[in-house]
Every structure is written in C-alpha cells, then in structure tokens.
Amino acid sequence: MKTTSQSLYDRALLQEAAWESVKRLSPRYQVKNPVMFVVWLGSLLTTGLWLQALAGEGEAPAGFILAITLWLWFTVLFANFAEAVAEGRGKAQAAALKGLKKTVWAKKLREAHAGAPFHTVPSEDLRKGDVVLVQAGDVIPGDGEVVEGVASVDESAITGESAPVIRESGGDFSAVTGGTRVLSDWLVVKITVNPGETFLDRMIGMVEGARRQKTPNEIALTILLVALTLTFLLATATLLPFSIYSVGVAGSGSPVTVTVLVALLVCLIPTTIGGLLSAIGVAGMGRMMEKNVIATSGKAVEAAGDVDVLLLDKTGTITLGNRQAAAFAPAAGVSEKELAEAALLASLADETPEGRSIVTLAKERLHQRGRDIHADGASFVHFTAQTRMSGIDWQGRSIRKGAADAVKAHILALGGEWSAAVQQAVDDIARRGATPLAVAESSAGAARVLGVVELKDIVKGGIKERFAELRRMGIKTVMITGDNSLTAAAIAAEAGVDDFLAEATPEAKLKLIRQHQQDGRLVAMTGDGTNDAPALAQADVAVAMNSGTQAAKEAGNMVDLDSNPTKLIEIVETGKQMLMTRGALTTFSIANDVAKYFAIIPAAFAATYPALGVLNVMGLATPASAILSAVIFNALVIVALIPLALKGVAYRPQGAAAILRRNLLVYGVGGLVVPFAGIKAIDLMLVGLHLA
C-alpha cells in the first residue's frame, strides 16, 4: 500500500480532531504537557473566579473574567487540536493498513519441503518456526524466509509498486511479507514471527501517533520550557502580595487581580511552542510515511536530522547499478572490428545487463542487426563463479570473455601470451573507474588475447549536486563498494563523494561506523542483505530495504517500502526539516512572548503603578482591552501555526550557522513584529464592538 497523507483540511479529519481535543481536557492527559497543564490550571482558576463574580463577590467584572476564561480554555483546546490533527492523519494511515489484515488460510507443512503433506490452518494459528506452502494465487500468511522454491510475488499491497518481484531461497531476496500474494510458481516459507509481530502489525503500530515516544531533543526542549514556566510562575505569584503592599504604602490605587495575573502568566510562558511541540514530532513521522518509509520511532526520525556521516552503497545509489559497455580496446595486431565481433559472439547467451550492452555496442560498431548461429551448432559457455568467464564454442573457435586475471590464467594455460600492452589497457580502464573485461580466442591449438572491453558504471545524473548540498549542510558522504581501490577512487571523484571504502566487507563496514561514532558523529546507512545486519544494528540511522532479508529489516530502525537506496538522502532531509521546524517555532514562540510583555504588563499594573503607562507603546485603549487582546492573540497564534507545524518549514540545504541566522531573522524578528500588529488589531476590534 502506497502510504499517502490525509489532507490537512479534510472535513472528517477536522471533525474527529475537534472532538478529540475536547476529550483531552481531562487532567490525566493534560499533565503530560507541563506548559499547557499550567494553562489548564489557570483556566480552572478563572472559571471559579467567574462563578464568584456571578455571586456578587468578584474581584473584577464578571464579563471580563468570563472573556479571559473562555479564551484560556480555547488556548488549551487549540493546543489539543493541533496534536489531534497530527495524530489523526497517522491514525487514518493505520486504519488503511488495518484494512489489509484479513484471515488467511495457510497450508502448513509437516516437513520443510514442497512434497510433504500439509493441512490448512488460519494464519493466526501460525507460530515462529512453522513451515507453509504458498502456491500461485495464494496470499502469504505471515512474514518469513523462503527455504525452497522461486516465485513472482505481488507486493503492491505493502509497497504500492505494481511490478512484481522475485523471491527465492538463499541470498538477499528470500524475505517475504505477510499479506503479499504469489503470482506464479510456489514457495516453501518458514515463518519468522509470531502473530501480532508481523511487519504489517509493526507498520500499524509505527504510524499510530498516540504511541510515539518523545525524542531526546524533544525531552530537552520540554525541560527548558518547564524551567521557563516555573520561573514565570514564581515571578507572577510574587506580584500579588507585592502590589497589595505597594497600594498599602501609597494609600492609593488598587492591587492587581488574580484574573489579570493568570492572563499575564499564560502570555509570558511559551504556550505557542508548548502547544505545538507534540504535533511537530507526530507530523515528522507522518512526512516519513509520505515518502513510504516506516520509522520504528520518533528517535530515528530525529537522529536522521542530526546525521553527520552518510554511508552510501555505490551500486544503485551513486551509480545506475548496471555497468554498460563503453569502448573496445583491441590488442596489438587486432582490429576493433575483430574484437567487437568476438565480444558479440561471446555475449549472445549472456542475459545480464552487461552482456546485453556489449551486444548493443558491438552491433553499433559492426553496423549489423544480428545473426543466427544456433543452426551452426554453437555451444554457449555460461558464467560461473569458479571460472569467472563465459563465451562460445563455434566453428572450431573457442571465444571467452571475463575478468582480466581469469582470462589471463586461461590464455597462459593454453600456451598463449599476455602482453604488457594488454595489461596496460586493463590498468588504464581500472584507473578510470571502469571495469576491464578481457576477450580471448583459441583455435587450432593457438590462443591469443583479442583485447579488452571497457564496462563503465554510469554515475547517476544530478547525484554530484546532491552531494554538494549535503556538504553545505556539514554532512560527510562515504561511498561503500566492493570494487578495488583504483576503481573506487575514480568513481568517488566523478560522483563527488568525500571518502570511500573499497573492497568492503561486513567487518570493514562495522569498523568504519564505530570509528566515526567514536569521533562523536552520527552515522546513517542503508542495507538489504544479511551481511549488512551488523552494520545496520550499529548505525544511528539504519534504513533497511523492504526487498531485503528479515535480518536486515530487524537490524534497522527504518524500512524503505520502495527499496530505493537513494531514499537515505531524502530521509536525512526530512529529519532536518523536522528539527528546523521545531527550532523555527521555538524561536518564534520566545520572541512572541517578548512582544506580549509590552501589551500586558503596563495594562496589568496601570491601577497600581500609573507611571507604567509610558510603556504602552501600542496605544491600547484600556487595561481590560489590552489584557484581553493579548490573551486572544495568544490563543489564535497557535491556530495560525498549526499548518506550518504539520507541513514543516521549507527545507534548504544550508549549514547550521546559516539556518540559525535565517531562523533569527525570519522567525525571531517575525515573532517580535507580529504580536504588535495582531494585538493592536484585536484591541481595535474589541473597542469597536464595545467588548472591553
């Protein structure tokens, strides 16, 4: 299932969020957010003061207290609403995933092979270690590993991709996911999880925002907000006895009221970021889901934003993955046409992308459409890991192509010669980052090398610019490849990566990650095979391909449903966007509070200290309208910022210093200016309506 985000303005979503925000007014829920809990307590207190005023014992007019009380409750509701909208989008995704869960009947085998007898059981009865037979048209009953067979599997219900994939026993493509369907042939699958622990179950749990745990940075910011709230709470609490004492000494004026002090406290504490903090975190995970990435926790998303080092696999990530024949380098005394014809013949039965590209290039050079040599009794020799060569035996000729050292050994064994010029051509091709493929021929007891075919791994278009963006963000890119150092260095230079690890082994990857982590860096990497599992488990952000093995998916803290290795770059960008959003709104919230001081403090103490009227720089009409305007603005600004909190600020590939300067300029200065204009506008409206 391709995960899509529900529209922010979806009517059903907003209605559900509105009802949810009311249900969250319970103290058991409010206490989880210390800043908004203080606002909730203030709302209760002013509600009691309003009831007293109705009974004729009020400290201020009942209408004024009621207006303050209602807007304080709205402030709490709007904060609840922001988080409810964010979680509602996640729950909508979870509900769609739950629709995929259905009872599937499994053919449980008594023994782990296709010919064994089976009996039919519901998928809920399967346990880890059970073995099932899945035939064409059957739904795979649970997550597992293929132990026998090969089949085409439709995984569109999970990934959203319509193209079927091949799953087979052994290797890195043996993992299957419950809920997908076998289209052809059959598989014997060993179940690897118990009911309730499947990948689909984990997906549902991951997207349900209510289960999201706070991240370390979020916890640290919450502690800061609590400290600011306590500071202002203590400061505000001392103002009442101080004002009573001042009035007693002066013998004139009146002390500040509790209602005004509550309004002052709510406007001083960072309610804007306090009300939106949880929504930002939930929305960050939602944006990952939009990119078809399942994050096991908010910590993984946040860590992606703090990543310093990216480990990227060369094949499929930096390069297109399929090496293409680029040129022929004939040996001395051999024409390019002769080499091209031999390479063409040796590649006719080679169905690999490399083999097909040699055929295509040779036909272009020979200006021919092809030939039928099957009728002449041609015998094809297929590639094996032992010989590392393939070719053809035809009309007394034995043509072989393969790795240079393998062809060299083959020629020398037949009594042929491996010239220094051929070796030089091999070295030159490798130095350019390409792969040399030698071509040799033997006939009538004579063997000779015809030349070398250059296979080039094509670097993806635009990838160098992406790496330059990452470099500006302070992120180091490291290419991981099994190629030799010469080839790796050439491709690394062409792609623009900062470093590379050649001839990489699982141990070498693990060592490299630990080395960077010991230097205080956060490391991200992708992987799909069982041999990637140790490195994935060690990495701070580990993205496992959905097409990979169960071991890789269990070791990672994210799963890419599209199995796209370049997705790691987008994941880092999404993580940084979440951190940028949190930083921007925190800056705006604190700057916002500074501006509100000038509105509410002169008004709050106008009766006690008339001289403070000099600070009424906004020219607000009355103390009552000033206080009410500030409280109304404080509530409405949360509503205004909900779309920004959920969508995130615009991402720009900049360094930390540049982002900080931009936040201070846009959200810092904006946070200072907007309240002045907003509070003044609300004050004019209140005066015009004669509400204050």
Side-chain angles (χ1 to χ4, degrees):
M1 173 183 173
K2 184 72 174 179
T3 54
T4 56
S5 174
Q6 192 172 10
S7 171
L8 177 61
Y9 304 104
D10 182 82
R11 184 175 179 181
L13 172 64
L14 295 179
Q15 288 177 343
E16 177 65 25
W19 173 239
E20 186 68 24
S21 63
V22 175
K23 292 196 296 184
R24 295 183 182 197
L25 288 175
S26 69
R28 186 173 59 180
Y29 183 86
Q30 290 299 316
V31 76
K32 297 177 183 178
N33 188 334
V35 176
M36 299 314 300
F37 182 59
V38 170
V39 182
W40 181 83
L41 289 175
S43 304
L44 286 179
L45 179 56
T46 55
T47 301
L49 293 172
W50 173 66
L51 294 175
Q52 270 188 340
L54 288 178
E57 302 176 1
E59 59 174 15
F64 174 72
I65 299 176
L66 176 61
I68 294 293
T69 300
L70 289 176
W71 281 104
L72 291 182
W73 281 117
F74 283 144
T75 302
V76 178
L77 284 170
F78 292 155
N80 291 347
F81 182 76
E83 187 173 5
V85 170
E87 292 185 359
R89 299 168 86 191
K91 288 176 180 177
Q93 293 168 331
L97 290 172
K98 287 177 180 176
L100 297 176
K101 294 191 68 175
K102 59 185 85 172
T103 299
V104 176
W105 292 93
K107 300 169 183 175
K108 183 178 177 181
L109 296 171
R110 294 179 184 172
E111 300 175 27
H113 61 84
F118 64 82
H119 61 284
T120 305
V121 299
S123 58
E124 292 83 359
D125 292 347
L126 293 175
R127 295 293 181 271
K128 186 175 181 179
D130 289 343
V131 181
V132 297
L133 173 65
V134 191
Q135 297 173 308
D138 292 347
V139 174
I140 297 174
D143 296 358
E145 294 277 351
V146 178
V147 295
E148 186 179 351
V150 56
S152 175
V153 179
D154 176 13
E155 294 187 343
S156 60
I158 301 295
T159 66
E161 298 298 329
S162 58
V165 296
I166 300 298
R167 292 289 177 258
E168 58 187 335
S169 59
D172 292 341
F173 298 95
S174 60
V176 291
T177 305
T180 57
R181 184 181 297 274
V182 172
L183 298 178
S184 67
D185 303 293
W186 54 268
L187 298 172
V188 174
V189 177
K190 183 177 181 181
I191 301 299
T192 55
V193 295
N194 291 319
E197 301 174 359
T198 66
F199 180 63
L200 194 55
D201 290 314
R202 294 202 306 275
M203 284 176 66
I204 293 170
M206 291 169 196
V207 300
E208 288 181 326
R211 299 184 184 180
R212 189 186 67 87
Q213 294 181 340
K214 288 188 175 181
T215 63
N217 281 353
E218 192 174 343
I219 292 172
L221 182 56
T222 301
I223 293 172
L224 173 62
L225 298 181
V226 170
L228 290 173
T229 302
L230 289 175
T231 301
F232 287 121
L233 180 60
L234 292 173
T236 305
T238 61
L239 291 176
L240 180 60
F242 190 74
S243 67
I244 293 174
Y245 173 77
S246 298
V247 169
V249 171
S252 62
S254 59
V256 66
T257 64
V258 174
T259 302
V260 170
L261 287 178
V262 171
L264 173 64
L265 174 63
V266 171
C267 289
L268 292 184
I269 63 177
T271 50
T272 305
I273 186 62
L276 296 174
L277 186 58
S278 295
I280 294 169
V282 175
M285 295 188 69
R287 285 194 291 275
M288 283 293 184
M289 284 294 296
E290 291 174 24
K291 296 183 183 300
N292 235 18
V293 175
I294 302 295
T296 58
S297 69
K299 292 181 182 180
V301 181
E302 186 173 274
D306 285 328
V307 159
D308 302 298
V309 179
L310 284 186
L311 301 187
L312 300 163
D313 190 50
K314 183 202 76 173
T315 306
T317 305
I318 295 173
T319 64
L320 294 176
N322 297 328
R323 295 173 298 175
Q324 304 290 310
F328 294 113
V334 179
S335 67
E336 184 183 39
K337 180 179 179 180
E338 190 177 359
L339 172 59
E341 183 177 24
L344 170 65
L345 293 172
S347 303
L348 288 175
D350 188 347
E351 292 301 320
T352 64
E354 293 89 346
R356 289 195 294 269
S357 73
I358 292 174
V359 172
T360 300
L361 180 63
K363 287 180 178 179
E364 290 176 357
R365 297 296 171 85
L366 296 172
H367 304 292
Q368 66 179 45
R369 299 183 59 185
R371 57 196 300 180
D372 182 13
I373 60 174
H374 293 273
D376 297 330
S379 174
F380 294 104
V381 178
H382 295 282
F383 177 87
T384 66
Q386 289 74 30
T387 63
R388 294 190 296 152
M389 294 187 300
S390 61
I392 184 175
D393 294 331
W394 178 59
Q395 293 183 346
R397 301 171 64 192
S398 180
I399 304 173
R400 297 291 184 270
K401 69 173 175 64
D405 56 342
V407 173
K408 178 181 179 181
H410 173 71
I411 286 296
L412 294 178
L414 294 176
E417 180 183 351
W418 183 266
S419 67
V422 171
Q423 184 61 49
Q424 184 65 43
V426 169
D427 293 341
D428 289 343
I429 291 172
R431 200 172 291 112
R432 290 196 296 269
T435 301
L437 206 63
V439 180
E441 177 188 31
S442 60
S443 60
R448 61 174 181 154
V449 179
L450 298 177
V452 184
V453 180
E454 179 178 350
L455 296 179
K456 190 173 182 181
D457 208 349
I458 308 299
V459 173
K460 288 184 175 180
I463 198 75
K464 190 169 186 177
E465 290 72 21
R466 294 292 296 274
F467 290 151
E469 290 180 2
L470 293 171
R471 195 173 297 111
R472 286 196 295 271
M473 294 161 55
I475 298 175
K476 180 180 181 180
T477 51
V478 181
M479 183 183 76
I480 307 294
T481 178
D483 292 335
N484 60 58
S485 296
L486 284 176
T487 302
I491 294 178
E494 184 179 354
V497 296
D498 299 311
D499 200 358
F500 65 88
L501 176 65
E503 300 176 357
T505 62
E507 294 80 10
K509 294 179 188 177
L510 191 60
K511 181 180 178 182
L512 181 64
I513 292 173
R514 287 174 175 168
Q515 197 171 37
H516 283 299
Q517 289 173 334
Q518 287 171 1
D519 293 337
R521 298 188 178 100
L522 290 183
V523 180
M525 75 163 289
T526 60
D528 58 3
T530 301
N531 63 335
D532 292 324
L536 287 171
Q538 183 67 36
D540 300 287
V541 178
V543 184
M545 302 294 101
N546 189 47
S547 61
T549 63
Q550 189 70 24
K553 285 190 273 190
E554 289 178 357
N557 50 25
M558 291 188 185
V559 177
D560 176 19
L561 300 181
D562 296 330
S563 300
N564 178 7
T566 60
K567 188 75 69 69
L568 182 58
I569 298 174
E570 295 180 38
I571 289 171
V572 170
E573 292 174 351
T574 302
K576 286 201 172 290
Q577 185 185 31
M578 188 185 78
L579 295 181
M580 288 167 62
T581 302
R582 187 185 297 158
L585 292 184
T586 301
T587 304
F588 182 89
S589 179
I590 294 174
N592 203 17
D593 293 337
V594 173
K596 285 182 288 186
Y597 300 162
F598 289 93
I600 201 167
I601 289 180
F605 297 97
T608 308
Y609 305 106
L612 286 178
V614 174
L615 296 178
N616 185 13
V617 294
M618 285 188 265
L620 302 178
T622 65
S625 72
I627 293 168
L628 186 55
S629 297
V631 171
I632 293 173
F633 176 83
N634 191 65
L636 294 181
V637 75
I638 295 177
V639 181
L641 291 175
I642 288 176
L644 182 61
L646 298 184
K647 293 182 179 179
V649 300
Y651 168 78
R652 289 178 175 83
Q654 298 173 325
I659 292 173
L660 178 60
R661 284 195 300 270
R662 179 175 176 272
N663 278 353
L664 290 176
L665 180 62
V666 176
Y667 297 97
V669 175
L672 287 172
V673 173
V674 170
F676 282 99
I679 292 173
K680 180 62 177 178
I682 295 171
D683 178 72
L684 292 174
M685 290 177 60
L686 293 178
V687 173
L689 296 172
H690 304 289
L691 296 178

